[in-house]
Amino acid sequence: MSNAASAADQEHSDVVPLMVRSNREIDDLIRNMLPHFEGRETEHNWILRDKAIATFRSLAHGNAPRDFPQHFYSGLKSLLDGIVKVVNSLRTTLSTNGCLLVQDLARICGSGLDPSVELLLQTFIKLCGGMKKISHENGNVTVDTILQHVSYTPRLLQHVWFACQDKNVQPRLYATGWLKTLLTKQSRHKSSLEHGGGFDLVEKCIKRGLTDANPGVREGMRATFWTYHQGWPDRAAQ
């Protein structure tokens, strides 16, 4: 995970911000990108998709989210299905660039990404169950980054709970870290977990992980349990 994270930081610093002067510039950029994402990926369109992803990353790093939020987020909504296609590409470079874009969007947009969170988490948790090491590592870092920056809702915990039950070991292993991230984040806003059945789900995840057939998952969940114990010692003691 640390290798993937450091690679992400490196890529993150290489992005040149694209500054725009009007809503219309954003609309024109998006309109020009959309055709590249139509249909299946081919030898002819994958490079165009990669360039479009790079352009949208630059746009996200520029002034558009701050100065023209309505048009920026409208553009993001239009491109979302295309971004998902890119993330699921068998071309590692293209898929990685899609992951880096979503990590950037989570950091830059924060709660602005909330409307897209359901589709994104489904996509990236599924990616974590894949066979390619670099893809599931990218998926892990992206899920963790999303969970750190979007608004907390009980649905986030539901996604972690589903991952804890996945037939593949990799999502179960990564879920121990995602739960730790959520617990660390919510320890400053404890009431959010205390309402909406949060504790029940947290404890189901922990119990499941501590009895997992895989020793790595059990070890990861032990570390997560102590994070839980730190924030909610009375609950954890039970």
Side-chain angles (χ1 to χ4, degrees), residues 191-209:
S191 62
S192 59
L193 263 188
E194 288 154 14
H195 305 297
F199 280 137
D200 292 342
L201 269 177
V202 168
E203 287 167 10
K204 276 166 80 172
C205 291
I206 290 174
K207 286 173 184 171
R208 180 86 182 211

Side-chain angles (χ1 to χ4, degrees), residues 15-20 26 54-68 72 104 108-109:
V15 179
V16 179
L18 175 61
M19 310 306 281
V20 289
I26 299 171
T55 302
F56 199 72
R57 277 188 85 195
S58 293
L59 189 67
H61 279 266
N63 62 327
R66 185 182 64 249
D67 294 346
F68 308 104
F72 176 79
D104 285 356
I108 292 163
C109 305

Side-chain angles (χ1 to χ4, degrees), residues 5-43:
S6 58
D9 291 341
Q10 177 63 42
E11 291 284 350
H12 181 74
S13 63
D14 291 344
V15 179
V16 179
L18 175 61
M19 310 306 281
V20 289
R21 287 174 300 238
S22 69
N23 289 330
R24 190 168 174 184
E25 265 188 82
I26 299 171
D27 295 344
D28 289 347
L29 279 168
I30 302 298
R31 195 180 308 109
N32 290 333
M33 290 178 198
L34 283 171
H36 306 324
F37 295 102
E38 287 169 6
R40 298 167 71 100
E41 184 183 313
T42 67
E43 287 294 330

Side-chain angles (χ1 to χ4, degrees), residues 38-92:
E38 287 169 6
R40 298 167 71 100
E41 184 183 313
T42 67
E43 287 294 330
H44 306 293
N45 68 15
W46 80 267
I47 293 175
L48 296 169
R49 289 181 177 191
D50 200 35
K51 285 180 178 169
I53 290 293
T55 302
F56 199 72
R57 277 188 85 195
S58 293
L59 189 67
H61 279 266
N63 62 327
R66 185 182 64 249
D67 294 346
F68 308 104
Q70 193 177 344
H71 287 249
F72 176 79
Y73 287 112
S74 172
L76 170 58
K77 189 179 175 185
S78 306
L79 286 173
L80 200 58
D81 287 342
I83 293 168
V84 168
K85 284 182 183 179
V86 162
V87 166
N88 288 320
S89 171
L90 296 176
R91 288 179 169 87
T92 307

